[in-house]
Amino acid sequence: MKQSFLFTKTRRDAPTDEVSRNAKLLIRGGFIHKEMAGVYSYLPLGLRVLNKVVGIIREEMNALGGQEVYLSALQDREVWEKTGRWDERAVDSWFKTELKNGAEAGLAFTHEEPITAMMRGHISSYKDLPKYPYQFQVKFRNETRARSGLIRGREFLMKDLYSFSRNETEHQAFYEKIKQAYHTIFARIGLGEKTVLTFASGGSFSKYSHEFQTLCAAGEDTIHLCDKCRIAVNSEIISEHTACPQCGNEKLTQEKAVEVGNIFTLGTKFSDALNLKYRNEVGKETSVFMGSYGIGPGRAMGVAVELFADEKGIVWPKSIAPFAVHLISLASSTKVKKEADALYEKLQKEDIEVLYDDRDARAGEKFADADLIGIPLRAVVSDKTPVGKVEIKARLTVVGQERTSDSARIISHAELLKMVSGK
Ligand code: ATP
Ligand code: MG
């Protein structure tokens, strides 16, 4: 994509009421637009990142036998009354609305109730189980504190998968599989090294649920980490669980973290309340055994910004970067411009995701924008680059401990193509 074509502009300053690093940088880079506190719209660059995160999660959910659905965001009050969760003493973050006829509807804060009710039309025999519908769907929550940018929105995208199994044994086998899939997902997104499985207070059935917590100074959660196992315990339950659940180590270190995903055993709480039953092999009516599994793709994106950004701007992990390469033309002559245009065409032809800064702007401005936008690889064509060659430089975190700055070097177009196509 040509940068001159992109309608978004980078800006020097973030809104003054924005305190989180992720929101400041994402707004300045033109990734998101702040509608109001805790409510953000995704702009072309931001949507590309979000879609990358979603794409990775979708692949892993499909590999587990997930089937994608898209449930409505407007929800029927009656369904929620069956489990007692319409009551604001049970759920204090509801957004509710009224229909013209006076009936009330809810704006999806989660989907356990509606999906359980819906599955009654599709599950009646043991032969219909297990099933794993999932979706990427908007949720609305009237969060008290929405000061963490994409990490805590009042409207946000969630991946939620629901498992419907015959019994606890069948459920448990799936639960272990999805646990592994979550590790794979966070590794693929670039958060793997910082994301740890964490024991948290139970779902409705089991003693514990599991969270995937990413160690991050901006996190609102406190976890207690076992350095040996890379497993943690959420501070909510630490009083009853003061040692590592895996190795018994009692020297746990306290860390700030963000919950990027979680997995819950629900048992038959929802199927009992909403009458989701099946006939087993001997014809006996049995409640379906359930689990639910969430990930916040926008939250994961916000956490990636928090973790890898430096004083110059965002640094995207390769797998979720909006483009694979940022081509910058410093054209002082038509010859240089032609060279850059030709390289852009070549990259396009090879289906390489390239953002081409073809704008008529100063070099300093182009580099500052490139640093802010954070595409992992920068390729510059200028008076200094010989014909058929390009100067490349990796966008790496300068201040972060893990990554160090990589100096620029000149390579051929062919080498660049090879590098970004991974062939
Ligand atoms: P938290 O404790 O942080 O409020 P939660 O326990 O309410 O999270 P769930 O209801 O289990 O979260 O939602 C599943 C996933 O959705 C979370 O793991 C998180 O990644 C994401 N998520 C939850 N709330 C938000 C939010 N307000 N903004 C963005 N993502 C969110
Ligand atoms: Mg919450």
Side-chain angles (χ1 to χ4, degrees):
M1 183 193 283
K2 288 187 175 168
Q3 219 164 322
S4 59
F5 172 77
L6 199 61
F7 74 82
T8 57
K9 300 265 190 301
T10 56
R11 45 191 273 192
R12 197 177 290 271
D13 300 304
T16 48
D17 60 338
E18 199 61 81
V19 290
S20 74
R21 181 188 213 193
N22 74 86
K24 280 185 186 167
L25 288 172
L26 289 166
I27 292 170
R28 285 187 49 215
F31 288 82
I32 58 172
H33 165 78
K34 182 178 193 169
E35 182 63 25
M36 53 186 175
V39 183
Y40 299 94
S41 302
Y42 286 80
L43 302 173
L45 290 178
L47 188 59
R48 289 182 79 97
V49 176
L50 186 72
N51 284 340
K52 294 261 167 96
V53 176
V54 164
I56 289 170
I57 301 172
R58 179 179 283 129
E59 278 178 18
E60 297 300 330
M61 292 301 103
N62 289 345
L64 286 176
Q67 297 180 51
E68 192 166 349
V69 295
Y70 186 84
L71 269 55
S72 69
L74 273 179
Q75 300 179 332
D76 185 356
R77 166 184 176 155
E78 277 177 31
V79 169
W80 286 89
E81 280 176 337
K82 301 244 162 68
T83 60
R85 290 213 289 177
W86 183 255
D87 192 325
E88 271 153 52
R89 279 165 302 186
V91 174
D92 64 2
S93 59
W94 269 116
F95 281 105
K96 292 177 179 173
T97 189
E98 219 173 75
L99 307 183
K100 292 273 191 205
N101 65 7
E104 272 189 298
L107 272 70
F109 100 95
T110 180
H111 279 88
E112 276 86 2
E113 280 81 347
I115 202 163
T116 306
M118 185 192 84
M119 291 305 270
R120 286 193 303 236
H122 305 281
I123 292 172
S124 57
S125 149
Y126 69 94
K127 292 178 192 152
D128 301 325
L129 294 168
K131 288 288 178 281
Y132 311 114
Y134 77 95
Q135 61 179 347
F136 294 93
Q137 227 285 10
V138 65
K139 306 288 188 250
F140 299 91
R141 291 185 187 178
N142 204 345
E143 301 275 6
T144 323
R145 290 165 293 115
R147 286 185 272 110
S148 301
L150 292 188
I151 292 177
R152 187 170 298 284
R154 294 198 163 101
E155 172 182 335
F156 62 94
L157 190 69
M158 191 195 286
K159 183 288 294 180
D160 38 334
L161 183 145
Y162 302 89
S163 65
F164 298 89
S165 305
R166 288 170 223 199
N167 52 45
E168 193 180 345
T169 314
E170 190 172 75
H171 163 81
Q172 207 53 43
F174 181 74
Y175 192 89
E176 289 308 317
K177 267 171 55 182
I178 201 161
K179 203 190 269 177
Q180 286 316 312
Y182 269 38
H183 281 300
T184 307
I185 287 166
F186 295 117
R188 288 185 61 190
I189 291 173
L191 302 177
E193 279 168 34
K194 293 270 180 187
T195 303
V196 295
L197 182 72
T198 303
F199 285 66
S201 53
S204 34
F205 177 83
S206 53
K207 190 165 181 206
Y208 304 113
S209 69
H210 291 96
E211 297 171 340
F212 286 76
Q213 293 271 4
T214 308
L215 306 176
C216 173
E220 293 172 4
D221 289 13
T222 304
I223 61 169
H224 301 264
L225 177 69
C226 171
D227 286 329
K228 277 189 251 163
C229 303
R230 304 291 291 169
I231 278 183
V233 180
N234 194 306
S235 61
E236 290 172 347
I237 63 163
I238 193 72
S239 58
E240 54 180 292
H241 218 132
T242 53
C244 171
Q246 185 152 298
C247 73
N249 173 13
E250 289 186 358
K251 280 208 201 93
L252 305 181
T253 49
Q254 194 170 312
E255 303 270 4
K256 284 284 168 207
V258 179
E259 181 204 302
V260 286
N262 61 18
I263 58 179
F264 275 100
T265 295
L266 301 172
T268 60
K269 177 183 167 177
F270 293 90
S271 49
D272 284 339
L274 290 151
N275 199 28
L276 174 63
K277 297 210 172 6
Y278 72 96
R279 285 195 186 281
N280 71 9
E281 288 85 337
V282 292
K284 185 170 168 265
E285 274 224 322
T286 313
S287 294
V288 174
F289 200 100
M290 291 174 55
S292 78
Y293 315 84
I295 295 181
R299 181 177 280 193
M301 177 176 161
V303 172
V305 175
E306 293 285 340
L307 286 182
F308 306 121
D310 61 19
E311 74 274 10
K312 292 180 178 170
I314 298 169
V315 182
W316 292 112
K318 266 189 198 160
S319 60
I320 63 170
F323 293 91
V325 55
H326 201 161
L327 175 62
I328 297 174
S329 135
L330 301 183
S332 56
S333 64
T334 44
K335 182 176 148 255
V336 173
K337 188 177 179 316
K338 271 199 187 140
E339 268 285 297
D341 282 350
L343 178 53
Y344 177 60
E345 295 305 325
K346 261 189 226 168
L347 289 162
Q348 292 269 89
K349 225 191 226 154
E350 294 292 319
D351 280 332
I352 290 166
E353 295 178 299
V354 50
L355 181 62
Y356 175 28
D357 194 345
D358 60 333
R359 297 173 304 166
D360 183 17
R362 285 182 303 111
E365 190 182 330
K366 291 190 174 195
F367 288 142
D369 276 354
D371 282 341
L372 176 60
I373 291 170
I375 294 167
L377 189 67
R378 186 168 92 185
V380 179
V381 179
S382 72
D383 290 334
K384 281 190 272 171
T385 46
V387 175
K389 302 237 159 135
V390 59
E391 185 186 274
I392 60 152
K393 188 169 189 285
R395 176 79 178 97
L396 300 170
T397 307
V398 181
V399 287
Q401 313 285 281
E402 308 83 12
R403 299 165 176 216
T404 50
S405 181
D406 198 27
S407 56
R409 60 194 172 98
I410 292 186
I411 62 171
S412 70
H413 290 182
E415 280 173 286
L416 175 66
L417 277 164
K418 206 169 151 202
M419 187 183 260
V420 282
S421 66
K423 281 177 207 156

